[in-house]
Amino acid sequence: MTALTVVLPAGEVTVSTLFDAPADPGSTWAAVALAHGAGAGMDHPFLTGFAGALNDAGIATLRFVFPYREAERRMPGPAAHAVATWSAVMPELARLAPGVPQVAAGKSYGGRMASVAAADGVIAPDALVYLGYPFHAPGRPEAPRGAHLAHIAAPQLFVEGSADPFIQPVDQFRAAVDTCADSEIVWIAGGAHSFEVRGARRTPADVGAGLAASVVPWLRARL
């Protein structure tokens, strides 16, 4: 684990990062910066499982935490802080895994903040992957959070649980994704916001690892 400097409006802070490469570094064909969701850190079993499966598939990963999490606060700080963190993370990913395509990815809040940074031109990844994009707060479809997605030129993959309350009604979410230049939705049947499926007994690590089977082929095709 290493520290990364992030420049915020009020000054510099450091956040924790964790880089993992495939067992054979020479087999690395892509690198993914992976952000956590609003209520969890980079060591959550879901992210650990997902990152491990990517490593096994030849993809390097850089997990990191946002400043509010580093400060041991539970609620996310200003969006500008998250965007500034993404601005620091992507060059660090390129330094650690040079010469391969760079991908910005994240669970829920972390993925949405990557999309905001990309739409604002702060980062320019070769692709973006969202694991449970929070299109709106549950029960608040009148306040969608997706108008900026159309301004992102890079390919975007939305991995979504079909029962996720953050994207209901689904037609509204589909319409927003359709405005993107290059986008695709992979549906996890019966999955809720963290891809848990009623009646299925799987650990969060297994759930995260299982999503790689959908993400890796898409990345191969796009990169």
Side-chain angles (χ1 to χ4, degrees), residues 52-104:
L54 293 184
N55 295 159
D56 291 343
I59 301 173
T61 57
L62 178 63
R63 285 177 280 156
F64 63 95
V65 297
F66 291 109
Y68 78 92
R69 190 73 187 185
E70 189 71 40
E72 299 184 349
R73 294 193 296 269
R74 295 182 61 185
M75 298 301 294
H81 290 191
V83 170
T85 306
W86 271 110
S87 178
V89 164
M90 293 307 293
E92 179 69 359
L93 180 66
R95 183 185 73 82
L96 293 169
V100 297
Q102 309 286 303
V103 180

mmCIF file of all heavy atoms in Angstrom, residues 52-104:
data_model
loop_
_atom_site.group_PDB
_atom_site.id
_atom_site.type_symbol
_atom_site.label_atom_id
_atom_site.label_comp_id
_atom_site.label_asym_id
_atom_site.label_seq_id
_atom_site.Cartn_x
_atom_site.Cartn_y
_atom_site.Cartn_z
ATOM 1 N N GLY A 52 -8.917 -9.163 -8.092
ATOM 2 C CA GLY A 52 -8.185 -10.411 -8.224
ATOM 3 C C GLY A 52 -8.509 -11.144 -9.504
ATOM 4 O O GLY A 52 -7.615 -11.701 -10.161
ATOM 5 N N ALA A 53 -9.778 -11.131 -9.891
ATOM 6 C CA ALA A 53 -10.176 -11.790 -11.135
ATOM 7 C C ALA A 53 -9.606 -11.064 -12.346
ATOM 8 O O ALA A 53 -9.215 -11.693 -13.343
ATOM 9 C CB ALA A 53 -11.703 -11.861 -11.228
ATOM 10 N N LEU A 54 -9.534 -9.744 -12.282
ATOM 11 C CA LEU A 54 -8.912 -8.993 -13.377
ATOM 12 C C LEU A 54 -7.427 -9.321 -13.469
ATOM 13 O O LEU A 54 -6.884 -9.508 -14.568
ATOM 14 C CB LEU A 54 -9.106 -7.487 -13.172
ATOM 15 C CG LEU A 54 -10.528 -6.934 -13.281
ATOM 16 C CD1 LEU A 54 -10.505 -5.413 -13.149
ATOM 17 C CD2 LEU A 54 -11.204 -7.331 -14.581
ATOM 18 N N ASN A 55 -6.759 -9.378 -12.321
ATOM 19 C CA ASN A 55 -5.331 -9.741 -12.323
ATOM 20 C C ASN A 55 -5.115 -11.099 -12.977
ATOM 21 O O ASN A 55 -4.185 -11.289 -13.766
ATOM 22 C CB ASN A 55 -4.788 -9.766 -10.905
ATOM 23 C CG ASN A 55 -4.792 -8.409 -10.217
ATOM 24 O OD1 ASN A 55 -4.753 -8.338 -8.988
ATOM 25 N ND2 ASN A 55 -4.846 -7.325 -10.969
ATOM 26 N N ASP A 56 -5.982 -12.059 -12.640
ATOM 27 C CA ASP A 56 -5.868 -13.396 -13.216
ATOM 28 C C ASP A 56 -6.053 -13.384 -14.730
ATOM 29 O O ASP A 56 -5.546 -14.268 -15.431
ATOM 30 C CB ASP A 56 -6.897 -14.339 -12.585
ATOM 31 C CG ASP A 56 -6.600 -14.650 -11.128
ATOM 32 O OD1 ASP A 56 -5.454 -14.411 -10.682
ATOM 33 O OD2 ASP A 56 -7.521 -15.114 -10.419
ATOM 34 N N ALA A 57 -6.781 -12.371 -15.222
ATOM 35 C CA ALA A 57 -7.050 -12.270 -16.656
ATOM 36 C C ALA A 57 -6.021 -11.403 -17.383
ATOM 37 O O ALA A 57 -6.200 -11.091 -18.561
ATOM 38 C CB ALA A 57 -8.451 -11.708 -16.880
ATOM 39 N N GLY A 58 -4.953 -10.983 -16.689
ATOM 40 C CA GLY A 58 -3.903 -10.208 -17.335
ATOM 41 C C GLY A 58 -4.075 -8.709 -17.256
ATOM 42 O O GLY A 58 -3.450 -7.965 -18.024
ATOM 43 N N ILE A 59 -4.899 -8.242 -16.303
ATOM 44 C CA ILE A 59 -5.167 -6.808 -16.161
ATOM 45 C C ILE A 59 -4.633 -6.321 -14.820
ATOM 46 O O ILE A 59 -4.967 -6.867 -13.764
ATOM 47 C CB ILE A 59 -6.677 -6.518 -16.250
ATOM 48 C CG1 ILE A 59 -7.227 -7.000 -17.600
ATOM 49 C CG2 ILE A 59 -6.949 -5.028 -16.062
ATOM 50 C CD1 ILE A 59 -8.740 -6.899 -17.714
ATOM 51 N N ALA A 60 -3.796 -5.294 -14.851
ATOM 52 C CA ALA A 60 -3.295 -4.681 -13.625
ATOM 53 C C ALA A 60 -4.385 -3.802 -13.016
ATOM 54 O O ALA A 60 -5.237 -3.259 -13.741
ATOM 55 C CB ALA A 60 -2.058 -3.845 -13.918
ATOM 56 N N THR A 61 -4.380 -3.660 -11.696
ATOM 57 C CA THR A 61 -5.399 -2.848 -11.029
ATOM 58 C C THR A 61 -4.753 -1.907 -10.020
ATOM 59 O O THR A 61 -3.769 -2.251 -9.365
ATOM 60 C CB THR A 61 -6.435 -3.719 -10.295
ATOM 61 O OG1 THR A 61 -5.764 -4.566 -9.346
ATOM 62 C CG2 THR A 61 -7.229 -4.575 -11.280
ATOM 63 N N LEU A 62 -5.334 -0.728 -9.916
ATOM 64 C CA LEU A 62 -4.935 0.252 -8.905
ATOM 65 C C LEU A 62 -6.181 0.653 -8.131
ATOM 66 O O LEU A 62 -7.022 1.398 -8.626
ATOM 67 C CB LEU A 62 -4.291 1.481 -9.552
ATOM 68 C CG LEU A 62 -3.874 2.597 -8.588
ATOM 69 C CD1 LEU A 62 -2.802 2.106 -7.617
ATOM 70 C CD2 LEU A 62 -3.390 3.830 -9.352
ATOM 71 N N ARG A 63 -6.296 0.114 -6.922
ATOM 72 C CA ARG A 63 -7.395 0.514 -6.044
ATOM 73 C C ARG A 63 -6.971 1.721 -5.217
ATOM 74 O O ARG A 63 -5.783 1.892 -4.925
ATOM 75 C CB ARG A 63 -7.800 -0.641 -5.130
ATOM 76 C CG ARG A 63 -8.604 -1.729 -5.834
ATOM 77 C CD ARG A 63 -8.920 -2.868 -4.902
ATOM 78 N NE ARG A 63 -7.785 -3.778 -4.741
ATOM 79 C CZ ARG A 63 -7.585 -4.570 -3.694
ATOM 80 N NH1 ARG A 63 -8.423 -4.522 -2.667
ATOM 81 N NH2 ARG A 63 -6.546 -5.379 -3.649
ATOM 82 N N PHE A 64 -7.932 2.525 -4.832
ATOM 83 C CA PHE A 64 -7.618 3.735 -4.072
ATOM 84 C C PHE A 64 -8.846 4.171 -3.271
ATOM 85 O O PHE A 64 -9.958 3.680 -3.508
ATOM 86 C CB PHE A 64 -7.176 4.864 -5.011
ATOM 87 C CG PHE A 64 -8.244 5.311 -5.979
ATOM 88 C CD1 PHE A 64 -9.059 6.394 -5.692
ATOM 89 C CD2 PHE A 64 -8.441 4.641 -7.179
ATOM 90 C CE1 PHE A 64 -10.049 6.805 -6.576
ATOM 91 C CE2 PHE A 64 -9.433 5.043 -8.081
ATOM 92 C CZ PHE A 64 -10.232 6.124 -7.772
ATOM 93 N N VAL A 65 -8.633 5.085 -2.339
ATOM 94 C CA VAL A 65 -9.748 5.624 -1.561
ATOM 95 C C VAL A 65 -9.875 7.123 -1.831
ATOM 96 O O VAL A 65 -8.892 7.793 -2.163
ATOM 97 C CB VAL A 65 -9.572 5.377 -0.051
ATOM 98 C CG1 VAL A 65 -9.563 3.891 0.255
ATOM 99 C CG2 VAL A 65 -8.321 6.039 0.485
ATOM 100 N N PHE A 66 -11.068 7.623 -1.678
ATOM 101 C CA PHE A 66 -11.309 9.059 -1.794
ATOM 102 C C PHE A 66 -10.939 9.749 -0.480
ATOM 103 O O PHE A 66 -10.889 9.107 0.574
ATOM 104 C CB PHE A 66 -12.768 9.312 -2.153
ATOM 105 C CG PHE A 66 -13.133 8.875 -3.551
ATOM 106 C CD1 PHE A 66 -13.947 7.770 -3.757
ATOM 107 C CD2 PHE A 66 -12.657 9.567 -4.655
ATOM 108 C CE1 PHE A 66 -14.279 7.351 -5.033
ATOM 109 C CE2 PHE A 66 -12.978 9.158 -5.945
ATOM 110 C CZ PHE A 66 -13.798 8.053 -6.133
ATOM 111 N N PRO A 67 -10.694 11.046 -0.518
ATOM 112 C CA PRO A 67 -10.235 11.755 0.686
ATOM 113 C C PRO A 67 -11.144 11.598 1.898
ATOM 114 O O PRO A 67 -10.656 11.482 3.031
ATOM 115 C CB PRO A 67 -10.164 13.217 0.226
ATOM 116 C CG PRO A 67 -9.840 13.117 -1.231
ATOM 117 C CD PRO A 67 -10.628 11.915 -1.710
ATOM 118 N N TYR A 68 -12.450 11.580 1.709
ATOM 119 C CA TYR A 68 -13.338 11.458 2.870
ATOM 120 C C TYR A 68 -13.139 10.119 3.562
ATOM 121 O O TYR A 68 -13.208 10.022 4.796
ATOM 122 C CB TYR A 68 -14.805 11.642 2.449
ATOM 123 C CG TYR A 68 -15.444 10.435 1.788
ATOM 124 C CD1 TYR A 68 -16.131 9.487 2.538
ATOM 125 C CD2 TYR A 68 -15.370 10.252 0.408
ATOM 126 C CE1 TYR A 68 -16.724 8.385 1.933
ATOM 127 C CE2 TYR A 68 -15.945 9.160 -0.205
ATOM 128 C CZ TYR A 68 -16.624 8.228 0.562
ATOM 129 O OH TYR A 68 -17.196 7.131 -0.037
ATOM 130 N N ARG A 69 -12.880 9.086 2.779
ATOM 131 C CA ARG A 69 -12.667 7.763 3.362
ATOM 132 C C ARG A 69 -11.313 7.704 4.075
ATOM 133 O O ARG A 69 -11.194 7.082 5.136
ATOM 134 C CB ARG A 69 -12.737 6.704 2.271
ATOM 135 C CG ARG A 69 -12.775 5.278 2.782
ATOM 136 C CD ARG A 69 -14.126 4.965 3.396
ATOM 137 N NE ARG A 69 -14.121 3.654 4.025
ATOM 138 C CZ ARG A 69 -15.193 3.078 4.553
ATOM 139 N NH1 ARG A 69 -16.348 3.705 4.521
ATOM 140 N NH2 ARG A 69 -15.106 1.895 5.115
ATOM 141 N N GLU A 70 -10.317 8.331 3.481
ATOM 142 C CA GLU A 70 -9.002 8.392 4.116
ATOM 143 C C GLU A 70 -9.093 9.083 5.482
ATOM 144 O O GLU A 70 -8.379 8.717 6.424
ATOM 145 C CB GLU A 70 -8.026 9.144 3.214
ATOM 146 C CG GLU A 70 -6.580 9.099 3.666
ATOM 147 C CD GLU A 70 -5.937 7.734 3.490
ATOM 148 O OE1 GLU A 70 -6.194 7.066 2.466
ATOM 149 O OE2 GLU A 70 -5.178 7.329 4.386
ATOM 150 N N ALA A 71 -9.980 10.072 5.573
ATOM 151 C CA ALA A 71 -10.178 10.806 6.823
ATOM 152 C C ALA A 71 -11.139 10.091 7.768
ATOM 153 O O ALA A 71 -11.527 10.652 8.799
ATOM 154 C CB ALA A 71 -10.689 12.213 6.525
ATOM 155 N N GLU A 72 -11.541 8.870 7.387
ATOM 156 C CA GLU A 72 -12.426 8.028 8.196
ATOM 157 C C GLU A 72 -13.801 8.645 8.394
ATOM 158 O O GLU A 72 -14.445 8.457 9.423
ATOM 159 C CB GLU A 72 -11.778 7.701 9.546
ATOM 160 C CG GLU A 72 -10.474 6.930 9.403
ATOM 161 C CD GLU A 72 -9.890 6.521 10.746
ATOM 162 O OE1 GLU A 72 -10.370 6.991 11.789
ATOM 163 O OE2 GLU A 72 -8.933 5.716 10.734
ATOM 164 N N ARG A 73 -14.260 9.386 7.375
ATOM 165 C CA ARG A 73 -15.635 9.884 7.382
ATOM 166 C C ARG A 73 -16.508 8.931 6.580
ATOM 167 O O ARG A 73 -16.042 8.301 5.623
ATOM 168 C CB ARG A 73 -15.708 11.294 6.796
ATOM 169 C CG ARG A 73 -14.998 12.343 7.647
ATOM 170 C CD ARG A 73 -15.356 13.748 7.194
ATOM 171 N NE ARG A 73 -14.902 14.010 5.839
ATOM 172 C CZ ARG A 73 -13.719 14.544 5.533
ATOM 173 N NH1 ARG A 73 -12.860 14.854 6.497
ATOM 174 N NH2 ARG A 73 -13.390 14.769 4.276
ATOM 175 N N ARG A 74 -17.754 8.853 6.928
ATOM 176 C CA ARG A 74 -18.652 7.896 6.287
ATOM 177 C C ARG A 74 -19.297 8.448 5.026
ATOM 178 O O ARG A 74 -19.594 7.689 4.108
ATOM 179 C CB ARG A 74 -19.745 7.469 7.275
ATOM 180 C CG ARG A 74 -19.216 6.710 8.481
ATOM 181 C CD ARG A 74 -20.341 6.273 9.393
ATOM 182 N NE ARG A 74 -21.269 5.369 8.713
ATOM 183 C CZ ARG A 74 -22.400 4.911 9.254
ATOM 184 N NH1 ARG A 74 -22.740 5.276 10.481
ATOM 185 N NH2 ARG A 74 -23.178 4.085 8.584
ATOM 186 N N MET A 75 -19.548 9.751 4.989
ATOM 187 C CA MET A 75 -20.267 10.335 3.864
ATOM 188 C C MET A 75 -19.299 10.978 2.871
ATOM 189 O O MET A 75 -18.325 11.634 3.288
ATOM 190 C CB MET A 75 -21.261 11.390 4.362
ATOM 191 C CG MET A 75 -22.329 10.817 5.271
ATOM 192 S SD MET A 75 -23.311 9.526 4.461
ATOM 193 C CE MET A 75 -24.135 10.484 3.187
ATOM 194 N N PRO A 76 -19.550 10.811 1.573
ATOM 195 C CA PRO A 76 -18.673 11.414 0.566
ATOM 196 C C PRO A 76 -18.586 12.932 0.712
ATOM 197 O O PRO A 76 -19.551 13.590 1.112
ATOM 198 C CB PRO A 76 -19.346 11.030 -0.755
ATOM 199 C CG PRO A 76 -20.107 9.788 -0.440
ATOM 200 C CD PRO A 76 -20.609 9.980 0.967
ATOM 201 N N GLY A 77 -17.427 13.471 0.383
ATOM 202 C CA GLY A 77 -17.241 14.908 0.383
ATOM 203 C C GLY A 77 -17.744 15.521 -0.914
ATOM 204 O O GLY A 77 -18.464 14.872 -1.685
ATOM 205 N N PRO A 78 -17.344 16.752 -1.200
ATOM 206 C CA PRO A 78 -17.767 17.409 -2.445
ATOM 207 C C PRO A 78 -17.329 16.618 -3.678
ATOM 208 O O PRO A 78 -16.277 15.969 -3.673
ATOM 209 C CB PRO A 78 -17.056 18.766 -2.388
ATOM 210 C CG PRO A 78 -16.779 18.985 -0.937
ATOM 211 C CD PRO A 78 -16.513 17.615 -0.364
ATOM 212 N N ALA A 79 -18.136 16.700 -4.725
ATOM 213 C CA ALA A 79 -17.788 16.005 -5.963
ATOM 214 C C ALA A 79 -16.435 16.460 -6.493
ATOM 215 O O ALA A 79 -15.685 15.662 -7.065
ATOM 216 C CB ALA A 79 -18.869 16.246 -7.013
ATOM 217 N N ALA A 80 -16.087 17.721 -6.261
ATOM 218 C CA ALA A 80 -14.797 18.232 -6.731
ATOM 219 C C ALA A 80 -13.637 17.478 -6.108
ATOM 220 O O ALA A 80 -12.582 17.321 -6.740
ATOM 221 C CB ALA A 80 -14.683 19.725 -6.414
ATOM 222 N N HIS A 81 -13.798 17.000 -4.888
ATOM 223 C CA HIS A 81 -12.736 16.234 -4.243
ATOM 224 C C HIS A 81 -12.551 14.883 -4.938
ATOM 225 O O HIS A 81 -11.417 14.419 -5.119
ATOM 226 C CB HIS A 81 -13.069 16.012 -2.767
ATOM 227 C CG HIS A 81 -13.000 17.255 -1.951
ATOM 228 N ND1 HIS A 81 -13.040 17.249 -0.573
ATOM 229 C CD2 HIS A 81 -12.900 18.565 -2.300
ATOM 230 C CE1 HIS A 81 -12.959 18.479 -0.115
ATOM 231 N NE2 HIS A 81 -12.887 19.301 -1.141
ATOM 232 N N ALA A 82 -13.659 14.272 -5.306
ATOM 233 C CA ALA A 82 -13.582 12.984 -5.996
ATOM 234 C C ALA A 82 -12.974 13.154 -7.386
ATOM 235 O O ALA A 82 -12.158 12.333 -7.832
ATOM 236 C CB ALA A 82 -14.960 12.355 -6.095
ATOM 237 N N VAL A 83 -13.360 14.216 -8.088
ATOM 238 C CA VAL A 83 -12.808 14.481 -9.418
ATOM 239 C C VAL A 83 -11.306 14.738 -9.328
ATOM 240 O O VAL A 83 -10.525 14.244 -10.154
ATOM 241 C CB VAL A 83 -13.542 15.666 -10.074
ATOM 242 C CG1 VAL A 83 -12.824 16.111 -11.350
ATOM 243 C CG2 VAL A 83 -14.990 15.286 -10.395
ATOM 244 N N ALA A 84 -10.892 15.498 -8.312
ATOM 245 C CA ALA A 84 -9.462 15.758 -8.121
ATOM 246 C C ALA A 84 -8.705 14.469 -7.842
ATOM 247 O O ALA A 84 -7.559 14.295 -8.279
ATOM 248 C CB ALA A 84 -9.264 16.759 -6.978
ATOM 249 N N THR A 85 -9.344 13.550 -7.120
ATOM 250 C CA THR A 85 -8.706 12.266 -6.840
ATOM 251 C C THR A 85 -8.522 11.475 -8.116
ATOM 252 O O THR A 85 -7.439 10.914 -8.370
ATOM 253 C CB THR A 85 -9.535 11.463 -5.828
ATOM 254 O OG1 THR A 85 -9.755 12.260 -4.657
ATOM 255 C CG2 THR A 85 -8.820 10.187 -5.431
ATOM 256 N N TRP A 86 -9.548 11.432 -8.946
ATOM 257 C CA TRP A 86 -9.417 10.748 -10.234
ATOM 258 C C TRP A 86 -8.317 11.391 -11.085
ATOM 259 O O TRP A 86 -7.573 10.706 -11.787
ATOM 260 C CB TRP A 86 -10.746 10.761 -10.988
ATOM 261 C CG TRP A 86 -11.616 9.598 -10.670
ATOM 262 C CD1 TRP A 86 -12.787 9.591 -9.972
ATOM 263 C CD2 TRP A 86 -11.370 8.235 -11.038
ATOM 264 N NE1 TRP A 86 -13.281 8.317 -9.876
ATOM 265 C CE2 TRP A 86 -12.441 7.467 -10.528
ATOM 266 C CE3 TRP A 86 -10.367 7.591 -11.756
ATOM 267 C CZ2 TRP A 86 -12.514 6.087 -10.716
ATOM 268 C CZ3 TRP A 86 -10.433 6.217 -11.942
ATOM 269 C CH2 TRP A 86 -11.502 5.483 -11.426
ATOM 270 N N SER A 87 -8.190 12.717 -10.994
ATOM 271 C CA SER A 87 -7.162 13.415 -11.756
ATOM 272 C C SER A 87 -5.761 12.988 -11.338
ATOM 273 O O SER A 87 -4.837 12.955 -12.161
ATOM 274 C CB SER A 87 -7.314 14.938 -11.545
ATOM 275 O OG SER A 87 -6.316 15.657 -12.231
ATOM 276 N N ALA A 88 -5.596 12.633 -10.078
ATOM 277 C CA ALA A 88 -4.296 12.161 -9.590
ATOM 278 C C ALA A 88 -4.094 10.675 -9.846
ATOM 279 O O ALA A 88 -2.964 10.225 -10.086
ATOM 280 C CB ALA A 88 -4.174 12.451 -8.093
ATOM 281 N N VAL A 89 -5.165 9.917 -9.825
ATOM 282 C CA VAL A 89 -5.070 8.463 -9.930
ATOM 283 C C VAL A 89 -4.682 8.006 -11.335
ATOM 284 O O VAL A 89 -3.841 7.107 -11.501
ATOM 285 C CB VAL A 89 -6.400 7.815 -9.498
ATOM 286 C CG1 VAL A 89 -6.475 6.353 -9.962
ATOM 287 C CG2 VAL A 89 -6.550 7.893 -7.981
ATOM 288 N N MET A 90 -5.268 8.605 -12.358
ATOM 289 C CA MET A 90 -5.014 8.104 -13.707
ATOM 290 C C MET A 90 -3.549 8.258 -14.140
ATOM 291 O O MET A 90 -2.986 7.324 -14.728
ATOM 292 C CB MET A 90 -5.960 8.763 -14.711
ATOM 293 C CG MET A 90 -7.431 8.369 -14.533
ATOM 294 S SD MET A 90 -7.730 6.568 -14.494
ATOM 295 C CE MET A 90 -7.309 6.094 -16.178
ATOM 296 N N PRO A 91 -2.879 9.368 -13.864
ATOM 297 C CA PRO A 91 -1.445 9.422 -14.180
ATOM 298 C C PRO A 91 -0.625 8.409 -13.377
ATOM 299 O O PRO A 91 0.364 7.862 -13.876
ATOM 300 C CB PRO A 91 -1.053 10.858 -13.812
ATOM 301 C CG PRO A 91 -2.315 11.630 -13.878
ATOM 302 C CD PRO A 91 -3.385 10.673 -13.427
ATOM 303 N N GLU A 92 -1.044 8.160 -12.137
ATOM 304 C CA GLU A 92 -0.346 7.168 -11.324
ATOM 305 C C GLU A 92 -0.511 5.770 -11.927
ATOM 306 O O GLU A 92 0.435 4.972 -11.941
ATOM 307 C CB GLU A 92 -0.886 7.195 -9.893
ATOM 308 C CG GLU A 92 -0.263 6.185 -8.950
ATOM 309 C CD GLU A 92 1.185 6.475 -8.606
ATOM 310 O OE1 GLU A 92 1.757 7.465 -9.116
ATOM 311 O OE2 GLU A 92 1.773 5.710 -7.819
ATOM 312 N N LEU A 93 -1.693 5.478 -12.425
ATOM 313 C CA LEU A 93 -1.918 4.193 -13.086
ATOM 314 C C LEU A 93 -1.014 4.052 -14.306
ATOM 315 O O LEU A 93 -0.407 2.997 -14.522
ATOM 316 C CB LEU A 93 -3.393 4.069 -13.499
ATOM 317 C CG LEU A 93 -3.779 2.772 -14.211
ATOM 318 C CD1 LEU A 93 -3.652 1.578 -13.271
ATOM 319 C CD2 LEU A 93 -5.207 2.868 -14.761
ATOM 320 N N ALA A 94 -0.909 5.121 -15.091
ATOM 321 C CA ALA A 94 -0.053 5.083 -16.282
ATOM 322 C C ALA A 94 1.416 4.904 -15.907
ATOM 323 O O ALA A 94 2.178 4.262 -16.632
ATOM 324 C CB ALA A 94 -0.235 6.360 -17.091
ATOM 325 N N ARG A 95 1.816 5.456 -14.775
ATOM 326 C CA ARG A 95 3.204 5.299 -14.322
ATOM 327 C C ARG A 95 3.481 3.863 -13.898
ATOM 328 O O ARG A 95 4.538 3.300 -14.188
ATOM 329 C CB ARG A 95 3.466 6.248 -13.151
ATOM 330 C CG ARG A 95 4.910 6.220 -12.647
ATOM 331 C CD ARG A 95 5.096 7.094 -11.415
ATOM 332 N NE ARG A 95 4.485 6.497 -10.232
ATOM 333 C CZ ARG A 95 5.070 5.547 -9.489
ATOM 334 N NH1 ARG A 95 6.266 5.078 -9.822
ATOM 335 N NH2 ARG A 95 4.458 5.078 -8.413
ATOM 336 N N LEU A 96 2.513 3.265 -13.212
ATOM 337 C CA LEU A 96 2.704 1.920 -12.695
ATOM 338 C C LEU A 96 2.542 0.841 -13.765
ATOM 339 O O LEU A 96 3.160 -0.233 -13.674
ATOM 340 C CB LEU A 96 1.711 1.663 -11.557
ATOM 341 C CG LEU A 96 1.923 2.488 -10.286
ATOM 342 C CD1 LEU A 96 0.724 2.341 -9.356
ATOM 343 C CD2 LEU A 96 3.202 2.074 -9.576
ATOM 344 N N ALA A 97 1.706 1.113 -14.753
ATOM 345 C CA ALA A 97 1.454 0.132 -15.817
ATOM 346 C C ALA A 97 1.547 0.840 -17.167
ATOM 347 O O ALA A 97 0.537 1.058 -17.840
ATOM 348 C CB ALA A 97 0.085 -0.512 -15.632
ATOM 349 N N PRO A 98 2.754 1.225 -17.573
ATOM 350 C CA PRO A 98 2.917 1.986 -18.817
ATOM 351 C C PRO A 98 2.725 1.120 -20.054
ATOM 352 O O PRO A 98 2.911 -0.094 -20.024
ATOM 353 C CB PRO A 98 4.360 2.481 -18.721
ATOM 354 C CG PRO A 98 5.050 1.430 -17.901
ATOM 355 C CD PRO A 98 4.041 0.977 -16.889
ATOM 356 N N GLY A 99 2.318 1.780 -21.119
ATOM 357 C CA GLY A 99 2.281 1.117 -22.413
ATOM 358 C C GLY A 99 1.080 0.242 -22.686
ATOM 359 O O GLY A 99 1.064 -0.470 -23.699
ATOM 360 N N VAL A 100 0.077 0.268 -21.796
ATOM 361 C CA VAL A 100 -1.142 -0.519 -22.027
ATOM 362 C C VAL A 100 -2.344 0.411 -21.888
ATOM 363 O O VAL A 100 -2.248 1.475 -21.264
ATOM 364 C CB VAL A 100 -1.262 -1.696 -21.029
ATOM 365 C CG1 VAL A 100 -0.120 -2.680 -21.215
ATOM 366 C CG2 VAL A 100 -1.324 -1.199 -19.588
ATOM 367 N N PRO A 101 -3.497 0.040 -22.466
ATOM 368 C CA PRO A 101 -4.687 0.876 -22.333
ATOM 369 C C PRO A 101 -5.068 1.084 -20.867
ATOM 370 O O PRO A 101 -4.923 0.188 -20.036
ATOM 371 C CB PRO A 101 -5.756 0.074 -23.079
ATOM 372 C CG PRO A 101 -4.989 -0.752 -24.054
ATOM 373 C CD PRO A 101 -3.717 -1.119 -23.357
ATOM 374 N N GLN A 102 -5.561 2.286 -20.590
ATOM 375 C CA GLN A 102 -5.910 2.685 -19.229
ATOM 376 C C GLN A 102 -7.429 2.796 -19.102
ATOM 377 O O GLN A 102 -8.087 3.446 -19.915
ATOM 378 C CB GLN A 102 -5.272 4.037 -18.904
ATOM 379 C CG GLN A 102 -3.775 4.094 -19.196
ATOM 380 C CD GLN A 102 -2.949 3.335 -18.189
ATOM 381 O OE1 GLN A 102 -3.010 3.586 -16.993
ATOM 382 N NE2 GLN A 102 -2.149 2.393 -18.681
ATOM 383 N N VAL A 103 -7.975 2.199 -18.045
ATOM 384 C CA VAL A 103 -9.423 2.132 -17.846
ATOM 385 C C VAL A 103 -9.778 2.723 -16.480
ATOM 386 O O VAL A 103 -9.092 2.465 -15.489
ATOM 387 C CB VAL A 103 -9.922 0.676 -17.925
ATOM 388 C CG1 VAL A 103 -11.432 0.603 -17.705
ATOM 389 C CG2 VAL A 103 -9.539 0.054 -19.268
ATOM 390 N N ALA A 104 -10.840 3.509 -16.434
ATOM 391 C CA ALA A 104 -11.374 4.027 -15.181
ATOM 392 C C ALA A 104 -12.620 3.232 -14.834
ATOM 393 O O ALA A 104 -13.527 3.100 -15.668
ATOM 394 C CB ALA A 104 -11.712 5.509 -15.299
#
